[in-house]
């Protein structure tokens, strides 16, 4: 079945940015034969991006562990015994040294993550100093700090913050099975505050948590129906961490992961789609399919917050084998 036959709407507008995606449309994309879906995703990818370019970011955990939230996938929650020790917020100079090293290895964006429900005022001062310092190195800046007030979002913007990461994680219906300490609307409220402050939005989710196809449909439909699409859409594959409630979650078929990337690419054609957590366990063939499906960003470096990520040498070798290169800022 071709795309035109499968989609309950005219496919003429595919590739244009639209914010009125229905679940029926997103479901129809997931139901396409794999080769049709990949063909459309690649065609649409080329309308907006050079398919040989990958944006490279580095992620540093600036405040690890001891988080009060209960996200079922997260080894940093204080509610689970995962062996991750709670640490204090890093010193500004130490963070800047890491940013210089990331820049030297080819990263154009430096992301800083803190395991907080929301930042305390004095901690936000320190994070603002980090943002200023990283910006002065000529890198793009991104932070993920939990829920923000409108004033906190504005202060981050004034420090020079380019992106704020705040994931919707999954569909509205499945969200309560994964997190009980905050609700979906809390996430949407923070995203609105970030937008209102003029900061770019980085927002995606995690697949393989038991959400099923309908959960993936709901997640992509929600992201693609935001009034402005997130500029960056990280799609994570669950990393099953010992001690978390999802430790024994069966692994998702890698082709279902690739499909999710392709559907995200088609529904948010002008956004950068990031192949995020879970790459350590992914074959290079699967990663290559993800790039073909329209993923055009990765995290570089051996660790993603607290979970393993392929080392820089492995990633560089893979990009060379695929004839791909780092996107210039
Ligand atoms: S995902 Fe973030 S908010 Fe949730 S437990 Fe982990 S660090 Fe806390």
């Amino acid at each position: 079945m071709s795309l035109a036959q499968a989609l309950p709407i005219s496919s003429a507008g595919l590739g244009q940015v639209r914010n009125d995606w229905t679940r029926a449309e997103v479901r129809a994309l997931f139901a396409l034969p794999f080769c049709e879906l990949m063909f459309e995703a690649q065609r649409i990818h080329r309308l907006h991006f050079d398919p040989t370019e990958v944006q490279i970011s580095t992620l540093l955990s600036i405040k690890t562990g001891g988080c009060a939230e209960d996200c079922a996938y997260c080894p940093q929650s204080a509610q689970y015994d995962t062996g991750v020790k709670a640490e204090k917020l890093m010193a500004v100079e130490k963070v800047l040294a890491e940013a210089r090293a990331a820049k030297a290895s080819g990263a154009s964006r430096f992301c800083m993550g803190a395991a907080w429900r929301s930042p305390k005022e004095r901690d936000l001062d320190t994070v603002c100093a980090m943002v200023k310092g990283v910006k002065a190195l000529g890198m793009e800046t991104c932070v993920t700090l939990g829920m923000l007030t409108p004033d906190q979002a504005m202060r981050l913007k004034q420090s020079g913050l380019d992106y704020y990461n705040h994931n919707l994680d999954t569909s509205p219906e499945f969200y309560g099975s994964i997190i009980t300490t905050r609700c979906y609307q809390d996430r949407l409220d923070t995203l609105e505050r970030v937008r209102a402050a003029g900061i770019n939005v980085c927002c995606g989710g995690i697949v393989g948590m038991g959400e099923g196809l309908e959960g993936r449909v709901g997640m992509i439909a929600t992201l693609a129906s935001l009034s402005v699409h997130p500029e960056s859409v990280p799609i994570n594959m669950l990393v099953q961490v010992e001690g978390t409630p999802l430790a024994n979650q069966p692994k998702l078929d890698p082709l279902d992961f690739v499909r999710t990337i392709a559907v995200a690419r088609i529904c948010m054609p002008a956004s950068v789609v990031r192949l995020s957590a879970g790459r350590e366990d992914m074959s290079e063939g699967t990663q290559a399919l993800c790039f073909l499906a329209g993923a055009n960003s990765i995290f570089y470096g051996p660790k993603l917050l607290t979970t393993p990520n392929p080392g820089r040498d492995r990633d560089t070798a893979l990009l060379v084998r695929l004839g791909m290169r780092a996107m210039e800022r």
Side-chain angles (χ1 to χ4, degrees):
M1 189 184 289
S2 72
L3 183 83
Q5 292 163 322
L7 215 53
I9 50 141
S10 153
S11 61
L14 278 185
Q16 308 296 320
V17 174
R18 289 174 43 200
N19 304 80
D20 58 352
W21 283 94
T22 66
R23 291 205 182 191
E25 291 169 338
V26 176
R27 204 175 291 121
L29 289 173
F30 271 102
L32 282 172
F34 190 74
C35 52
E36 294 285 356
L37 177 63
M38 294 295 278
F39 176 78
E40 276 309 316
Q42 178 63 201
R43 184 184 70 77
I44 287 167
H45 189 45
R46 284 162 185 260
L47 296 177
H48 297 272
F49 296 100
D50 178 338
T52 65
E53 286 189 349
V54 187
Q55 190 273 327
I56 293 180
S57 298
T58 296
L59 175 61
L60 175 69
S61 178
I62 56 171
K63 195 286 168 206
T64 303
C67 183
E69 303 290 277
D70 70 349
C71 310
Y73 52 81
C74 183
Q76 302 202 68
S77 168
Q79 309 203 22
Y80 314 131
D81 186 8
T82 62
V84 172
K85 288 202 178 65
E87 291 171 14
K88 285 193 188 146
L89 179 61
M90 283 174 73
V92 176
E93 256 323 307
K94 240 178 149 185
V95 171
L96 295 185
E98 296 273 356
R100 276 183 215 105
K103 187 180 178 188
S105 343
S108 58
R109 188 178 307 163
F110 192 68
C111 307
M112 295 165 270
W116 289 324
R117 174 177 167 82
S118 49
K120 292 193 188 75
E121 290 309 302
R122 91 183 119 81
D123 290 333
L124 194 73
D125 290 339
T126 310
V127 174
C128 286
M130 293 173 185
V131 169
K132 267 189 196 148
V134 174
K135 192 83 187 154
L137 298 175
M139 300 180 86
E140 284 185 322
T141 53
C142 176
V143 296
T144 181
L145 312 173
M147 294 181 281
L148 295 182
T149 64
D151 177 62
Q152 289 176 325
M154 206 51 88
R155 283 172 58 200
L156 286 165
K157 170 69 183 174
Q158 284 159 0
S159 317
L161 186 68
D162 295 303
Y163 286 82
Y164 193 81
N165 166 264
H166 201 61
N167 290 334
L168 284 178
D169 287 344
T170 187
S171 66
E173 295 77 13
F174 191 63
Y175 194 80
S177 314
I178 298 297
I179 298 145
T180 67
T181 47
R182 55 170 193 258
C183 65
Y184 212 68
Q185 191 57 46
D186 292 330
R187 305 300 274 180
L188 293 168
D189 290 347
T190 290
L191 291 174
E192 246 185 68
R193 290 165 190 162
V194 169
R195 270 272 170 247
I199 301 168
N200 293 310
V201 169
C202 172
C203 180
I206 307 172
V207 298
M209 299 192 292
E211 71 285 337
L213 173 62
E214 208 43 40
R216 295 190 279 283
V217 168
M219 177 180 83
I220 301 283
T222 307
L223 289 166
S225 308
L226 292 172
S227 56
V228 181
H229 290 167
E231 283 75 10
S232 170
V233 181
I235 304 289
N236 299 276
M237 175 83 110
L238 175 72
V239 178
Q240 293 94 337
V241 180
E242 207 53 54
T244 64
L246 296 182
N248 299 317
Q249 184 63 36
K251 279 193 191 310
L252 186 74
D253 179 345
L255 293 184
D256 286 334
F257 183 78
V258 178
R259 279 181 183 279
T260 310
I261 297 266
V263 175
R265 164 53 62 224
I266 293 171
C267 295
M268 293 168 278
S271 302
V272 167
V273 175
R274 179 176 300 145
L275 177 54
S276 298
R279 284 200 305 120
E280 173 70 359
D281 285 341
M282 221 176 264
S283 73
E284 296 194 331
T286 302
Q287 292 186 59
L289 279 177
C290 288
F291 292 131
L292 196 62
N296 57 348
S297 173
I298 55 168
F299 277 122
Y300 220 29
K303 224 171 167 195
L304 266 191
L305 297 177
T306 60
T307 55
N309 196 44
R312 289 194 176 94
D313 293 350
R314 260 170 68 195
D315 277 339
T316 305
L318 177 61
L319 293 182
V320 167
R321 278 170 68 203
L322 295 174
M324 299 181 79
R325 59 179 193 279
M327 197 183 282
E328 300 284 327
R329 275 195 57 191

